Amino acid sequence: MTKRVRVRRDDSPLSPGAYWLLLAWSPAVMLVGMAAGAVLIIRSILVWGVGSDEYQFGVDIPMSAGVLVVWVGAVALMLLPPRGVLALRSGPFDSSRLLVWPLGRRFRMWNMLAAPVCGLLAAFAPFPIATALGSSSGIPVNLWIALPFALALTLLGVGLVGLVLRSALHGVELTPTHLIARGYLWTRRYPRHEIVSINAVALKFWPSALLGMLMNRDVEYTLQLSLAGGREPLLLASNSHEADVNAGADIIRAWRSAHAS
């Protein structure tokens, strides 16, 4: 009896070139999701929550819902990268750009799907400072307490918005010459020839506590590089479960060895 071998098709309908283009525009895509989510949530609360004649159902509600449906489709495509863009431990590493998909995987989807709620947060971001400065006449204000607290809330909101805008880019990429770590707020590049070792490590208290507050989840493991100059930077773009971080470390070691030989 002949056994049939099932050929696994690519999980993504996008070509590698189309996927990289979508990823390059991902901050704009996330901004659209934030704006549509804010409109839909605020208008829905006003129409069905407040129940006042002042707030009536309008075409903006189904329009924002339709935009969110399209946005969800774009997010799904970004979460299904074609195999041609993925770095594998077995190689090959001759592509100009590869994703180390396990790194950052634990938070990638949830950060992206948080965009509509973060849009609502962004819409109300000016209110804490405005209230602290006394814009609400019925509320007594103590600036020494209210203003620092309002500034902290606003900075937290800005940080969350920045995190969501970069959520699709979040992770680690490999080129023939560099490791690129796209973190929560900025991108760092490390020349391949300067990387001495790659290790999965447990985060210390303060980085873990700060990321845990932003992510609303325990953040325990990340990747650490040892560089030729003696520096040992943490790649906070790589936060995930221990198994994911170890898998990502193995891929990067294979990439480094392949180009070193």
Side-chain angles (χ1 to χ4, degrees):
M1 182 176 179
T2 303
K3 184 177 180 180
R4 296 180 62 186
V5 178
R6 183 180 178 183
V7 179
R8 182 179 179 271
R9 295 184 178 180
D10 207 337
D11 293 330
S12 174
L14 296 179
S15 67
Y19 181 82
W20 287 123
L21 183 62
L22 178 61
L23 210 62
W25 283 93
S26 63
V29 173
M30 302 310 293
L31 188 61
V32 168
M34 291 173 65
V39 171
L40 182 62
I41 294 172
I42 292 173
R43 288 283 287 127
S44 298
I45 291 173
L46 292 176
V47 172
W48 290 292
V50 176
S52 170
D53 292 339
E54 183 180 355
Y55 305 110
Q56 299 294 325
F57 181 89
V59 69
D60 57 328
I61 294 179
M63 284 183 62
S64 57
V67 170
L68 274 181
V69 170
V70 175
W71 172 79
V72 168
V75 168
L77 290 174
M78 286 188 280
L79 289 171
L80 290 172
R83 285 177 291 180
V85 308
L86 298 179
L88 304 175
R89 186 168 57 180
S90 58
F93 297 104
D94 52 359
S95 177
S96 61
R97 188 179 176 190
L98 293 168
L99 278 175
V100 187
W101 192 248
L103 297 179
R105 174 161 49 189
R106 180 184 177 193
F107 303 107
R108 190 178 289 120
M109 179 181 70
W110 296 115
N111 290 348
M112 294 172 73
L113 294 180
V117 176
C118 277
L120 181 65
L121 178 65
F124 286 99
F127 284 88
I129 293 180
T131 301
L133 294 176
S135 64
S136 299
S137 57
I139 302 177
V141 176
N142 184 338
L143 282 180
W144 293 106
I145 297 175
L147 191 56
F149 183 70
L151 286 172
L153 285 178
T154 302
L155 289 175
L156 178 61
V158 170
L160 288 172
V161 169
L163 183 152
V164 169
L165 289 178
R166 290 176 58 90
S167 56
L169 296 171
H170 175 75
V172 174
E173 298 174 15
L174 302 175
T175 74
T177 59
H178 285 76
L179 181 151
I180 304 171
R182 301 191 187 278
Y184 297 103
L185 299 177
W186 51 74
T187 297
R188 291 181 175 174
R189 299 171 184 268
Y190 301 94
R192 177 196 53 76
H193 67 272
E194 291 187 4
I195 299 174
V196 176
S197 64
I198 305 101
N199 299 290
V201 298
L203 278 175
K204 294 182 179 178
F205 175 77
W206 284 114
S208 179
L210 178 61
L211 290 175
M213 180 177 64
L214 285 172
M215 313 300 297
N216 196 27
R217 291 177 179 84
D218 290 337
V219 182
E220 297 176 352
Y221 292 94
T222 194
L223 209 63
Q224 185 175 43
L225 301 180
S226 293
L227 304 180
R231 290 197 305 126
E232 295 186 331
L234 292 175
L235 301 187
L236 298 182
S238 65
N239 300 136
S240 192
H241 294 294
E242 184 179 14
D244 283 344
V245 177
N246 280 318
D250 286 340
I251 292 171
I252 296 174
R253 292 186 191 108
W255 162 78
R256 178 180 170 275
S257 299
H259 285 290
S261 58

